[in-house]
Amino acid sequence: MNLPNLITIGRFFFIPLFILTFFSYQSNLFAFLILLAAGISDILDGYLARKNGQVTDIGKLLDPLADKLMMITVILAFVMDDRISWWAAGVFFFRDIGMILISAFYHFNGKRQVPTSNIFGKATTVFFYVAFLMIMFELPYHSEMLWSTILFSLFTSCIYFFIFRRLNTPMKRASQ
């Protein structure tokens, strides 16, 4: 077990901590700081893994899972606190749960995976964190930011699908 994987595993502990802080203390600031710490640890584990040549198969599986579970938790907390609509949450859940299930299915069937640490994945994550900040502190246009981010995430999912298909489609040999 290397340090980046330990950091990734540690990110799973931010999930119950976020829930406890968000609902028990009703503290937007502390809840957001926990969310921010999870985001920073996400950046840190990926950076360390690439820098030190410690990218592992388990890390490739756990890293996006930790990220998706944290995002799902935050969205669910916002719905339960009436900060966002069920419609927004439903579209978000459909996309993220679908990506988790499809990735797991193809991973366990030996298919090549699309790296999520590309510019589209990073931009989507940054946009979600901005939307979460805006929702958490009820800033103007937070709903518009969330929907824009959800639509962008659907667009990036389409890009991932086409890249995945290209990676896993055997090349046809030219006729001789």
Side-chain angles (χ1 to χ4, degrees):
M1 184 66 55
N2 62 33
L3 180 60
N5 286 346
L6 287 174
I7 293 170
T8 299
I9 290 169
R11 285 188 11 236
F12 287 96
F13 293 101
F14 283 116
I15 295 168
L17 192 56
F18 173 82
I19 293 168
L20 177 69
T21 306
F22 185 80
F23 288 110
S24 297
Y25 299 108
Q26 291 293 314
S27 172
N28 287 334
L29 178 59
F30 289 136
F32 186 74
L33 289 175
I34 290 166
L35 180 60
L36 191 59
I40 290 169
S41 67
D42 183 21
I43 293 167
L44 180 63
D45 65 11
Y47 170 77
L48 290 174
R50 286 185 296 280
K51 179 182 179 247
N52 299 323
Q54 296 180 319
V55 175
T56 64
D57 287 338
I58 192 72
K60 289 179 191 176
L61 189 64
L62 290 179
D63 182 71
L65 181 61
D67 184 41
K68 298 270 181 245
L69 289 176
M70 178 55 112
M71 296 262 190
I72 288 169
T73 299
V74 172
I75 290 289
L76 192 55
F78 287 160
V79 168
M80 293 172 67
D81 201 46
D82 289 327
R83 294 184 189 212
I84 66 170
S85 72
W86 276 103
W87 283 107
V91 175
F92 177 89
F93 290 150
F94 176 78
R95 183 244 181 203
D96 272 33
I97 292 171
M99 286 188 70
I100 290 169
L101 294 175
I102 289 168
S103 291
F105 175 80
Y106 284 113
H107 171 78
F108 290 116
N109 284 294
K111 298 288 185 179
R112 294 175 65 195
Q113 298 292 303
V114 177
T116 55
S117 61
N118 65 33
I119 190 68
F120 295 111
K122 290 176 195 271
T124 301
T125 300
V126 169
F127 292 155
F128 270 116
Y129 273 82
V130 170
F132 292 166
L133 168 75
M134 293 175 74
I135 294 165
M136 187 82 68
F137 296 103
E138 301 180 67
L139 299 175
Y141 305 109
H142 66 273
S143 182
E144 291 82 357
M145 180 62 185
L146 177 63
W147 276 107
S148 297
T149 302
I150 289 170
L151 291 175
F152 182 75
S153 75
L154 292 171
F155 170 73
T156 62
S157 294
C158 291
I159 291 171
Y160 283 124
F161 173 75
F162 288 117
I163 294 171
F164 175 79
R165 219 171 106 199
R166 189 180 68 217
L167 283 174
N168 288 288
T169 301
M171 300 287 285
K172 293 184 180 179
R173 297 181 108 171
S175 355
Q176 297 185 14

